[in-house]
Amino acid sequence: TYEVVGDPSPIAWGSRWDLYLYMGDDQVHWFSILNSLVIVLLLSGIVAMIMVRTLRRDLAEYNSVEEKEELLEESGWKLVHADVLRPPPLAAWLATTIGTGMQVLCMSFISIACAMLGFLSPANRGSMLTVSLLLFALMGVAAGYCAALAYKAFKGAQWKSLTLLTAFLFPGIVLGVMFVLNFFIWGQHSSGAVPFGTMFAVLCIWFLISFPLVWVGVWLGYRGTLKDPPVKTNMVPRVIPSQAWYLHPLFTMLIGGILPFGAVFIELYFIMSSIWLQRFYYVFGFLALVLLILIITCAEISIVMCYFQLCAEDYHWWWRAFLTSGSSGLYLFVYSIVYMSTKMVMTRGVSILLYVGYMLIASYSFFMLTGAVGFLACFLFVHAIYGAVKVE
């Protein structure tokens, strides 16, 4: 026989994992925050210089009656006022990506907030994924609403197509890739394969919860009101002058994605170590701060690039605004390949395929999130500057 004696412990139940979750490298997280703040301060200084000095000077010149004759021979962002709000090509697709990006952003914020408040334990690794999946389905309202408002600003009319694209484009690609990868896991007779019942439950969440909520969001956005545009659009589009090499869309995309990725890449190392190397990650307060810095960085770099583009009399800014900050998803995928080659040992082709597939999904989600933030910032910026200038 034996007996058990229970000794009361001074450690609270919610703090029982602190001994195992303690990280001695918290200085690295502070270095990550400091690195991100330096990038934000740099971009904030550039944006402040544009907003306070350059724009104030431009507005003073554009609004002065005496200099109107001189402006006829000058160049600048005011000269494209009659084309700057011309609807973009593939308007429904752009509106869909904006709505999906806001859906991913809302899901990320709420998931991190729940983890930061202690509702999600890092000891239970599946809880974060489950909550994120459910939140993504519930945030279908936000996706439909934001997509509908953007599509309304583009003067679109194919509302049924917009609803179907928003509900099925991003989830369809993600779930399609995951199901294909799961077939490879089944082929290896691995216990890590997702059961058929779980796959069916995910499909039910998609069709029975997410799709109706997207439809509700589109309906609410369609009934919503937008402010009147600050300028009118001409019937005949203006000819765009030849652009300098550094204003080429590909170059601005590659440059625009560096700073948002640079603001978060240190924290990404710990997140990927938690996912792929079975390490604990519990510093969700740092993660929330990094997400906030990422949003500010995406907004500022998109505004800077959009201003340079408009000054060059190129009014095709809609897609460029999304792709400038969204290109950070490309850098995330490249970083994941470097991480795999330096930190992980993979000898089987299926393991490499799974890693690349899941990181493609993560990079695609990151692309949607950062691109939507950059577009929204440029949209507000364009309406602000053209609403402040006098146009006859």
Side-chain angles (χ1 to χ4, degrees), residues 110-252:
I110 299 176
S111 299
I112 294 174
C114 292
M116 188 170 57
L117 295 175
F119 296 114
L120 301 176
S121 173
N124 187 2
R125 292 181 174 271
S127 60
M128 190 72 176
L129 180 60
T130 303
V131 170
S132 299
L133 179 62
L134 293 176
L135 285 174
F136 181 83
L138 295 176
M139 290 301 106
V141 176
Y145 183 77
C146 296
L149 286 182
Y151 195 57
K152 198 171 186 178
F154 302 155
K155 300 179 176 59
Q158 304 294 328
W159 292 97
K160 293 182 180 179
S161 301
L162 175 70
T163 305
L164 294 176
L165 277 175
T166 307
F168 292 104
L169 180 62
F170 178 80
I173 293 175
V174 172
L175 292 180
V177 172
M178 293 182 65
F179 287 164
V180 170
L181 294 177
N182 198 57
F183 290 143
F184 283 96
I185 302 177
W186 276 346
Q188 297 294 318
H189 304 287
S190 173
S191 60
V194 179
F196 178 78
T198 304
M199 295 172 60
F200 181 75
V202 171
L203 289 176
C204 290
I205 293 174
W206 182 14
F207 284 97
L208 300 181
I209 298 179
S210 180
F211 175 67
L213 290 178
V214 169
W215 183 88
V216 171
V218 171
W219 181 77
L220 293 175
Y222 177 75
R223 293 175 59 90
T225 57
L226 291 174
K227 291 184 178 180
D228 293 333
V231 290
K232 296 181 180 179
T233 303
N234 287 343
M235 295 297 294
V236 180
R238 179 187 178 89
V239 177
I240 299 176
S242 59
Q243 302 291 304
W245 64 269
Y246 52 84
L247 291 177
H248 191 274
L250 183 60
F251 183 79
T252 56

